[in-house]
Amino acid sequence: MKSTAHRRFLLWSRAGVWACVDEAVLHRLDDAGLIDVIRVVLDTAHGRAKKGRTHRPEPRGPG
C-alpha cells in the first residue's frame, strides 16, 4: 500500500498541480525581477530503478 504522501503526490501530478506551482513561482520571481525568462533551458532525465536489484549485471563480452 502506498503512503498518503505518495497517493497525494500522484493525484496532484495527474491534476496538473505541479505545473501550476512551477508557473506561479516563475511569475513571482519574474515580477520581483529575480529571474530573466527571456531564455530558459531545461535539462532533465530519469530512470526507473529495478525493484530489489542491488548490483549491476556483469558486462558481456563481444559476440
Side-chain angles (χ1 to χ4, degrees), residues 9-31:
F9 174 80
L10 291 176
L11 288 170
W12 294 348
S13 295
R14 291 175 185 145
V17 170
W18 301 119
C20 291
V21 169
D22 287 344
E23 187 174 347
V25 168
L26 289 174
H27 280 295
R28 283 187 170 205
L29 291 171
D30 187 36
D31 292 345

Side-chain angles (χ1 to χ4, degrees), residues 4-63:
T4 299
H6 188 256
R7 281 194 311 270
R8 287 186 181 158
F9 174 80
L10 291 176
L11 288 170
W12 294 348
S13 295
R14 291 175 185 145
V17 170
W18 301 119
C20 291
V21 169
D22 287 344
E23 187 174 347
V25 168
L26 289 174
H27 280 295
R28 283 187 170 205
L29 291 171
D30 187 36
D31 292 345
L34 298 173
I35 190 171
D36 180 6
V37 293
I38 301 296
R39 182 175 179 193
V40 177
V41 177
L42 177 67
D43 182 14
T44 182
H46 82 275
R48 185 177 180 127
K50 301 290 184 186
K51 230 177 183 182
R53 183 166 253 174
T54 58
H55 66 280
R56 298 178 74 176
E58 294 296 320
R60 290 182 166 184

